[in-house]
Amino acid sequence: MDKQKLYEVYRQHKGEIIGAGIGLSIAIIVLLLGVLKALFIVICVVVGFYIGKRLSQDKDYIKNLLDRILPPGTYR
């Protein structure tokens, strides 16, 4: 199979391939570390993804978040 055909298969089934990769990664982590440690890792990855996505949309997201949690100006 040449690269062009392989790329076409990937492009047509991108979601399935990525989902299978994520599932395989989680299964390996669960087998190596156990359920609770794997759950902790998955939660950390999801939180990191969410914060990264918010930062790419709004550069002042962290400042605004800290302003809501802490008294304004305490972290500057």
Side-chain angles (χ1 to χ4, degrees):
M1 188 177 256
D2 65 350
K3 290 181 182 181
Q4 186 64 28
K5 287 182 183 178
L6 192 61
Y7 177 73
E8 281 298 316
V9 169
Y10 174 75
R11 199 170 64 81
Q12 291 175 356
H13 302 287
K14 184 177 180 180
E16 294 92 342
I17 293 171
I18 292 173
I22 291 170
L24 178 64
S25 300
I26 291 173
I28 290 171
I29 290 171
V30 168
L31 289 174
L32 293 176
L33 301 177
V35 174
L36 292 178
K37 290 179 184 178
L39 185 60
F40 176 74
I41 291 171
V42 169
I43 290 171
C44 288
V45 168
V46 169
V47 168
F49 174 80
Y50 176 76
I51 290 173
K53 183 175 180 180
R54 294 297 299 238
L55 279 174
S56 69
Q57 294 172 351
D58 179 16
K59 299 297 180 193
D60 294 329
Y61 174 70
I62 296 292
K63 291 179 186 177
N64 295 335
L65 179 65
L66 289 175
D67 275 340
R68 282 188 271 155
I69 296 171
L70 303 172
T74 59
Y75 59 88
R76 294 179 193 173

